[in-house]
Amino acid sequence: MDFNKTRYIPMSRRRRIYEGKAKVLYEGPEPGTLIQHFKDDATAFNAKKHQVIEGKGVLNNRISEYIFQHLNDIGVPTHFIRRLNMREQLIREVEIVPLEVVVRNVAAGSLSQRLGIEEGTQLPRSIIEFYYKNDQLNDPMVSEEHITAFGWATPQEIDDIMALAIRVNDFLSGLFLGIGIRLVDFKMECGRLFENEMVRIIVADEISPDSCRLWDVKSNEKLDKDRFRRDLGGLVEAYTEVAKRLGIMSENERPAGAGPVLVKG
Ligand code: UDP
């Protein structure tokens, strides 16, 4: 299939498949593909807190593209095909496994609260946790026993998910350390890709400062969604800093929405 020749479908005629808190999924140009659209909405505490933050969607689209493209390049399978425009990317359609897979390197957030471990404490080893994706239940933490007993994933799938999570964590930890950022923790989601009578688990959804905790190595400044959760302000500036350090945005690239600029000859 040639994904480079994408048929143009006007936004108004596209079929919307699913709308989430921060993204919308539309029908894709070819069977087995979808278009993932990044909105500017920020939510926290199970959507009890909500705000539109102009520019967030554009930044997450670019940062997630960068991460997923590199994962594809090192042989970690993902749903990402290519970015289409400022807010959208072409992805493979998968059946989402109803789990949030959290990998932690440093204590923070719910782990610190639940177990009384001070935020910032380096963990003795990386820890993988599973949460059942269910807004009504507030995404409760579950064990492998729950996952297999209730059929959310098979034991083999859990093994595959954990192997992927470790590879993603190793890649991301190195990537971010190289640009002076500590990967404290992150959340990923997986999907089942049905291909030639076979099913395999691949990385899906997004990986961005919305789903990671990223701390500046030197100052410990938070460069992630905790700026919104904890009312610290400066979220777009922090995400822009991450994008710049990754080399995605040039130093003087203007934020989205600014008017035309006179190019001096
Ligand atoms: N996370 C996420 N979506 C969620 C819950 C958590 O992306 O619905 C991410 C969060 O950004 C952090 C990691 O998963 O990087 C661990 O989050 P934690 O369990 O500490 O929960 P929180 O403190 O965010 O409620």
Side-chain angles (χ1 to χ4, degrees):
M1 206 179 298
D2 185 356
F3 291 118
N4 291 319
K5 281 195 247 133
T6 300
R7 229 172 351 115
Y8 178 72
I9 303 171
M11 191 97 134
S12 53
R13 276 203 275 122
R14 269 192 210 148
R15 198 155 66 89
R16 192 187 313 192
I17 306 282
Y18 174 81
E19 175 144 14
K21 283 170 268 192
K23 295 189 293 294
V24 188
L25 292 179
Y26 295 99
E27 187 177 46
E30 313 275 353
T33 67
L34 296 174
I35 291 168
Q36 177 164 258
H37 177 107
F38 288 76
K39 300 192 285 184
D40 282 339
D41 297 62
T43 62
F45 312 117
N46 201 7
K48 283 196 270 291
K49 180 171 176 164
H50 174 250
Q51 196 184 325
V52 174
I53 303 178
E54 199 178 327
K56 181 177 82 77
V58 172
L59 285 156
N60 281 347
N61 186 27
R62 297 291 290 268
I63 295 170
S64 198
E65 169 200 14
Y66 183 95
I67 292 170
F68 276 77
Q69 185 58 60
H70 280 77
L71 288 172
N72 284 344
D73 291 345
I74 61 165
V76 176
T78 81
H79 73 165
F80 179 80
I81 300 170
R82 65 188 174 87
R83 185 167 64 84
L84 295 172
N85 55 50
M86 295 286 272
R87 287 189 182 272
E88 294 175 332
Q89 41 187 249
L90 185 65
I91 58 169
R92 286 172 210 280
E93 185 172 24
V94 295
E95 182 182 272
I96 290 288
V97 175
L99 298 172
E100 298 201 337
V101 183
V102 169
V103 184
R104 302 179 183 274
N105 302 303
V106 176
S110 68
L111 177 99
S112 292
Q113 280 177 6
R114 214 174 37 240
L115 303 181
I117 302 171
E118 197 189 342
E119 281 216 322
T121 309
Q122 185 77 40
L123 298 172
R125 61 178 179 82
S126 302
I127 294 173
I128 302 177
E129 298 171 343
F130 298 105
Y131 295 83
Y132 177 47
K133 263 170 75 77
N134 186 318
D135 283 342
Q136 271 153 16
L137 300 175
N138 244 326
D139 296 348
M141 184 153 84
V142 291
S143 73
E144 294 182 37
E145 286 283 288
H146 301 110
I147 296 167
T148 51
F150 298 118
W152 299 322
T154 65
Q156 178 62 54
E157 286 176 331
I158 296 176
D159 283 353
D160 293 348
I161 289 169
M162 290 177 76
L164 284 177
I166 291 165
R167 291 184 74 190
V168 173
N169 185 49
D170 285 349
F171 169 74
L172 286 183
S173 297
L175 172 74
F176 283 120
L177 193 58
I179 55 170
I181 292 173
R182 190 140 77 123
L183 177 66
V184 171
D185 56 34
F186 69 96
K187 184 262 302 185
M188 64 172 223
E189 295 186 25
C190 292
R192 296 183 184 96
L193 179 69
F194 296 84
E195 210 178 36
N196 314 324
E197 316 279 303
M198 302 251 290
V199 191
R200 63 187 174 115
I201 295 283
I202 67 175
V203 183
D205 193 50
E206 70 175 286
I207 300 178
S208 71
D210 266 11
S211 56
C212 301
R213 281 200 171 90
L214 304 171
W215 296 357
D216 181 81
V217 165
K218 287 207 190 106
S219 66
N220 271 333
E221 193 190 350
K222 296 184 199 312
L223 301 172
D224 56 59
K225 203 168 117 179
D226 272 349
R227 302 211 71 87
F228 168 70
R229 292 191 194 97
R230 301 180 188 192
D231 294 317
L232 300 172
L235 180 135
V236 166
E237 290 77 3
Y239 287 25
T240 302
E241 177 66 20
V242 174
K244 274 188 187 163
R245 289 197 201 176
L246 287 171
I248 295 170
M249 282 165 85
S250 61
E251 284 301 313
N252 45 16
E253 192 168 330
R254 291 167 305 118
V261 170
L262 179 66
V263 179
K264 296 193 188 102

